[in-house]
Every structure is written in C-alpha cells, then in structure tokens.
Amino acid sequence: MTQLYQLVVLAVGGLILAQVAAGQPAETTASVNVIPRPVKVEADSGRFSLAPATTILVEKGLARGPKIGGYFADVLAKSAGFALKVAETDKAEPVSGAILLTTQRAKPALGDEGYTLTISSDSVIVRAPQEPGLFYGVQTLLQLLPPDVFRQSPATTTQAWTMPCVQIEDQPRFAWRGLLVDTSRHFFTKQELCDFIDVMALHKLNTLHWHINDDVGWRLEIKKYPKLVEIGAWRDGIEFGLDPQSSTAYDAKGRYGGFYTQADVKEIVAYAAERFITIVPEFEMPAHSEASRRAYPELSCDDPPPAAGQTTAKPTPKVAYCAGKNSTFAMLEDILSEAMLLFPSPIVHIGGDECEKVSWKACPKCQARIKAEGLKNEEELQSYFIRRMEKFINSKGKRLMGWSEIQQGGIAPNAMLMDWIGGGLQAAQSGHDVVMSPTTHCYLDYYQARGPEPKAIGGFVPLETVYAFEPVPKGLAPEFLKHILGVQGNLWTEFIPNYKHLQYMAYPRGCAIAEVGWTPAASKNWADFTARLQVHLQRLTARGVSYRALGQPPQVGGWTPAQMSEQYKTLEWDVTQFVKQAKTYTLLFIYEKGAHRLDVEWVALLENGQEVSRDAHAGITGAENRNNEYKLELKKYGAEAKYVLRASVRSDGGTDSTGGIWIK
Ligand code: TNX
C-alpha cells in the first residue's frame, strides 16, 4: 500500500470521527463503519430516521422471525427507550416507515448467512435466504445507527436515531467464525457467558467453542457422576500465581471455582442459539483431565506391579485417562451421553492435545492394550483412544473434533481437526474438515502489546497480527479449499481471572478474528479496518466492553546486559521529550528477557541535574513483577529544562537481563 493511500484512508477515518463527534452523519461509503466489513456497500444520499412509531415487520410464518425482530426491538428499547412494535406481514416490498425482514425474493447465492440490506429515507428492507442472514442484516443495521444504540441503559446524548441510506450485499467468507472460552482455568458465571455471547453476536461470530473442563476444574454437572463437580469443580486457590483478589469465584467455604448445572447449560445454549451462535463443547481427553481423575481416581492408570523383592509398587505420575481399562471408556461414554443431550451442536470436541505418555508407558493395562490391539507404541494408543471415542460419538449422530495432536498415530477416519500447532494443511488434503486457530495469529491469551500489559501466558499476538491472518494454509490445492471451515480466536484463561479481563484480551482482537472470518481476503485492509475500528470502539464502549484501547504509552528506554551489574548502580535516561507538564508521572520497569531479574532500589526525576522527585520503594521485574511501578511528581514544569530519569538498579545473580521502561 502506498503511503499516500494510507494517508487518504486515515484522513477519511479522521473526518468520519469528527463528524460522528459533532453528531453529524457522513454520507459517503466510508461512513459505513461496519465490522466485519461487508462484501459490497453502495452509499445513497439521505437517512432513515427511526422513531417510536417505526414498525418492525417480519415475514409471516418464519419460525424465528419474531425473535429476530424482537432482538432488534429489545436493543432499541434499552438504549433509545423506544418500544418498537414487531408485527408479521405478507408484504415483500418496502413498507413506508417500516423495517421489513423477509426471505422473499432473496438471492439464494447469498447462502445461509448472507443478506441484502436496502436503507432508503422512507423504509428499510433486509432480505436473506435464511434466518441467520436476517439476523446478520439486523446486526449491520444496528452498527449503522449511532454507537449509543449499544448502551445497556437509556442514552442521553444521542437524540437522532438515524442511519445512512445504503445498499449492502453481504455474506461470510467462512462458515466457522469462532472464539474459544476456557471456563476451567478460571470460572465465569452464566451471566458473564451470556454477555460474552451477546458481544460475539454483534461481530457476526457464530461459534462459541466452550472449553468447559480442564486439569484444574471440572465444570459441568453430570448427574450419574456427582463427584465430578462436588470435588472436581473446586480448588484451594485461584492458582497461576495470580492475586486471589482478582476473582470473586469463591464459594462459602472460601474454595475457588464453580460449575454449571445442566439447567444453566441449557439456558446458555438457548441464549446463544437465539443469536445464531452454536456452542461446540469440548471434553478434554485423554490428558488435561486431572479434575475428573481427582474425583474418580479409577480413571487414572494403575501403578506397575511391585518390583521383585518389594512389597509396594512405585507410583507413577498420573497425567491422562487410562487407555487400558474398558471402564474408562464406559464412564467417558456415560458422561458424553449425558452431556450431548445438553448441546445440540453436531460437533463434539474431545481435545486430544498435549498428552504426555508417561503414565501409559508404566501402566500394565495400557501396555496390555497396546499388545492386544497390535499397536506399535503409545502414539498409536492415543490414536486408538480417539478412534474409539469417535465410533461412539458417530453412533450418536455427531462428529468428533480434536486438536492438532489427534493426528498422532493416525487421525480417526471422520475426525475434524482444529489446528493450533500445525497439521491443518495435511488434514485438509486428506479430506478432513479443519478450523484454523494457530498460536501465531489466534491466541488471544498471548500478549497484545509490548510494554506495560497485565501478565499474560507469554507469546506476542498484537491486533495487526490477528488481522493479517490468512486461514487458508499455503500450498493447499483448490479442491481441498472447502475443508478449511474457518477461523477461531482462543481465550485460554490461566492468566484471565475475571470477566473484565476476558473482554480486555478478547477485544479488539476479536474484531479482527470476525473480519478474517467474514470479509473476502481481497477486501481486507489494515488502514481501513483501523479507521472503522475507531467508530466500532465507541460501540464497544457503549456496550460496556472493557476492551484494550489502541496504542500504548511511550517507551523511554531500557536496559541491556552490558549495562547491568550485580551491585546497585545508577542508570539514566533522558526523558525531556516525555515530560511536558507538571503532573505525577508513572514509570513502569518491565523485564523482557534474560536469565536474571532486575531489582530497583529507587527511581528519581532530575531537572537540569537537580533531583526534583524520588520514589524509594523496592521493586522487582522478572518472571514475576512486584511493585515495579514508580510515581514521580513534577510540581513545576520548566519549559526549557532538561529532564532525566535516574534509577538505582541491579541484576540479581548475574547480569543477563534486558527490559524496557514506559512512562504514563
Ligand atoms: C496450550 S491450545 C493448550 C492449552 C493452554 C494454552 C495456553 C491447546 C490445545 N492446549 O491447554 O491453555 O496452550 O496458551
């Protein structure tokens, strides 16, 4: 892209912003700041004004028509305070003063989720071959209204509920546009999950991959095995080295955790279905299963028999379900049988990732299984495990999906693959359906910026990287294209202890996932996306989403091993360009890499060589950050002065430490 073009896009974006701020609608195509970007947009002149008297007409006889109309009315009732009437109609042509939702005369080529939208100054019409398309037409309508329409309580600042006259033809590029939420590592309430679903819907995301259980918590009530939640849903602390205060998910006994009753699940699934979101449940096996094995130890492998001359067996680590005992499979089948009744999803995800084979190697029953089945090794035992589960899942009329590792020892015949560490290309080329969710672009639990960010698991996946993702693997022959179902962003929650933080990690990167999944590759454009995002973030603000704001504080400098010593010494950085007024500055010391942490003894601000402020608390930045934020108050600003930051620091136990300092 040329710089000139970037400038033009930014200028147009800026103009829109200025107009929105002034309450003045822009009339150009560029004013259609919809995310994900629609396929075709033609702007007309004029605007349609919503008023309390506007009716929402839905095609008579459509099973979910009234609900779709009602959804739109509900959003407006909350924010605009209108009580729009929803009525059924036979009409297929625009009706003055009405918003018509109909499948009549829709273009079949738009598919299940596509729609056309025509807004004229007098009427609005959404046509879609199927109900999901009508719902997405409604989502686009909402984004064409002022951002305040997403408020959860009456908006006082917006008076004119108008949208630009426009013709849109739109349909998604991919059928699977998903987010994964891990409710095991940390627990989120039913209300929080419903809120999460609602925000997904406004991005036309259609799949919630619910990673419901994992090692640290079993979260689904199974009536036949009550101990799963009685024991498996609770632990002593919040874990992962996090501040216990950062979550409120404690029970009366002070234990951390929680679970979903079957009634809760039904409610959440129905809430999602009303928003055309399928919940694909994941039941991790054979590994990532500690919580259930804690509740029912018989699910783990047996120890080997005592060695000659010994009376007790040497216990082995328990890391997976035992693949040798038939009782394991019987119990897992019982669990899945109950669980599948709660989830109408045609797909059941069984995990299959990160299974260390240590316990299988030592377990006499697993070894006997390998022998009896003529398997070569433990990798093939993993494949045996997955194939056996697949047979069962298929017998219930469902399809099995698993992570990259289910290809180990041979992928099960009908399995779908979720690519997180590779294997997507190979699976698609052998005729398996694939969802792309690689760590490189889709791990929304990874850091989204360098510098001062809340502790994350690691990695670096900024918004721009997510946006640049191309789900079709390089080298895939065109005849296999249909096997790439789509894209998914993953919110693993080891370091996400509460819902606000979940939103912070999910957005705006989830906006990029939505556009990767929806918009044709050729229409994707980073500058245009970020311009639309400026308006979209106002929507998220109105909706109460705690997203991560764009940009980041400036970095004043850093330290490298060459500057380090094991004894305290002072280092200095010129901060004149960052100090522009009298205020309290916050300095953050953040370790980036190396074997040794940085200890900070004190930090001071110097004006023309004279110390004017000092914060003398001890701080540490390394694998763990402690008190690494320093406050320096500048009482009087000297326009001509030179400002220097001085800090007494050392590196602990060696000098291999690199990091940066940010100023706010
Ligand atoms: C790997 S992705 C895992 C998860 C972790 C995640 C953290 C996958 C199939 N397994 O269990 O939560 O990394 O990023």
Side-chain angles (χ1 to χ4, degrees), residues 185 214 288 353-354 403 420 443 445-446 457 492 494:
R185 273 58 175 267
D214 207 296
H288 285 280
D353 59 306
E354 299 184 314
W403 295 109
W420 74 288
Y443 268 47
D445 59 332
Y446 288 8
I457 196 157
W492 301 103
E494 286 93 334

Side-chain angles (χ1 to χ4, degrees), residues 395-406:
S395 79
K396 299 282 178 180
K398 306 249 185 193
R399 297 175 71 190
L400 173 143
M401 182 178 247
W403 295 109
S404 296
E405 291 94 322
I406 64 166

Side-chain angles (χ1 to χ4, degrees), residues 95-337:
V95 178
S96 178
I99 297 171
L100 173 63
L101 311 177
T102 182
T103 65
Q104 294 187 58
R105 298 189 29 233
K107 295 184 181 171
L110 291 174
D112 286 357
E113 299 188 306
Y115 65 93
T116 55
L117 167 63
T118 307
I119 303 178
S120 61
S121 55
D122 177 57
S123 65
V124 174
I125 179 158
V126 180
R127 289 186 202 278
Q130 301 293 335
E131 291 173 330
L134 292 178
F135 183 74
Y136 293 134
V138 161
Q139 290 300 342
T140 299
L141 269 184
L142 288 170
Q143 290 201 17
L144 292 171
L145 284 161
D148 267 353
V149 77
F150 292 102
R151 286 178 55 95
Q152 300 294 286
S153 56
T156 48
T157 45
T158 297
Q159 256 93 45
W161 298 97
T162 71
M163 35 195 164
C165 293
V166 73
Q167 293 186 49
I168 291 179
E169 186 173 309
D170 202 11
Q171 73 190 107
R173 179 177 175 206
F174 291 107
W176 185 301
R177 305 177 303 279
L179 291 180
L180 172 148
V181 177
D182 164 8
T183 57
S184 177
R185 273 58 175 267
H186 287 103
F187 179 73
F188 302 91
T189 65
K190 177 175 72 183
Q191 288 73 18
E192 288 166 343
L193 288 184
C194 287
D195 190 78
F196 189 82
I197 286 164
D198 227 13
V199 180
M200 281 179 74
L202 83 89
H203 292 92
K204 303 186 175 83
L205 292 165
N206 68 356
T207 308
L208 172 61
H209 175 166
W210 190 354
H211 186 86
I212 191 162
N213 311 307
D214 207 296
D215 286 324
V216 291
W218 180 279
R219 309 256 176 248
L220 177 64
E221 176 193 35
I222 297 291
K223 303 228 154 108
K224 190 161 181 185
Y225 300 102
K227 284 191 288 182
L228 284 172
V229 292
E230 284 165 14
I231 295 174
W234 304 99
R235 59 185 189 251
D236 293 338
I238 178 172
E239 301 294 338
F240 307 103
L242 295 179
D243 176 1
Q245 305 265 336
S246 56
S247 179
T248 53
Y250 297 93
D251 72 358
K253 294 182 200 152
R255 297 178 308 175
Y256 182 85
F259 65 92
Y260 307 95
T261 65
Q262 297 198 352
D264 288 337
V265 172
K266 282 183 191 154
E267 242 182 86
I268 295 167
V269 166
Y271 193 87
E274 275 186 23
R275 286 150 186 79
F276 296 88
I277 290 173
T278 301
I279 297 189
V280 174
E282 178 180 350
F283 302 99
E284 272 274 22
M285 57 186 80
H288 285 280
S289 53
E290 201 248 309
S292 54
R293 288 182 289 104
R294 196 149 48 86
Y296 294 94
E298 61 271 30
L299 287 168
S300 288
C301 288
D302 293 347
D303 290 322
Q310 312 255 270
T311 47
T312 47
K314 196 165 148 258
T316 54
K318 311 282 188 250
V319 296
Y321 291 134
C322 178
K325 300 175 204 170
N326 284 327
S327 57
T328 307
F329 292 95
M331 184 160 161
L332 291 176
E333 289 177 7
D334 282 349
I335 291 172
L336 285 183
S337 297

Side-chain angles (χ1 to χ4, degrees), residues 538-597:
Q538 296 176 30
R539 296 180 191 122
L540 296 186
T541 300
R543 182 61 186 68
V545 178
S546 309
Y547 60 86
R548 183 190 185 278
L550 301 179
Q552 67 180 80
Q555 184 173 358
V556 298
W559 65 91
T560 59
Q563 296 171 294
M564 284 295 107
S565 125
E566 289 187 56
Q567 311 309 322
Y568 277 111
K569 67 178 241 197
T570 56
L571 294 181
E572 292 187 350
W573 300 267
D574 186 340
V575 290
T576 311
Q577 59 165 311
F578 306 106
V579 173
K580 291 287 164 225
Q581 56 175 310
K583 70 166 204 174
T584 299
Y585 289 90
T586 302
L587 280 307
L588 278 133
F589 286 69
I590 297 174
Y591 152 95
E592 280 163 13
K593 60 178 188 206
H596 307 111
R597 68 171 198 225

Side-chain angles (χ1 to χ4, degrees), residues 7 9 14 33 45 103 159 177 207-208 213 244 324 399 410 441 533 557 609 626 650 656:
L7 272 178
V9 173
N33 290 295
S45 59
T103 65
Q159 256 93 45
R177 305 177 303 279
T207 308
L208 172 61
N213 311 307
R399 297 175 71 190
H441 296 76
L533 197 56
R626 219 178 310 139
R650 74 164 181 213
D656 174 22

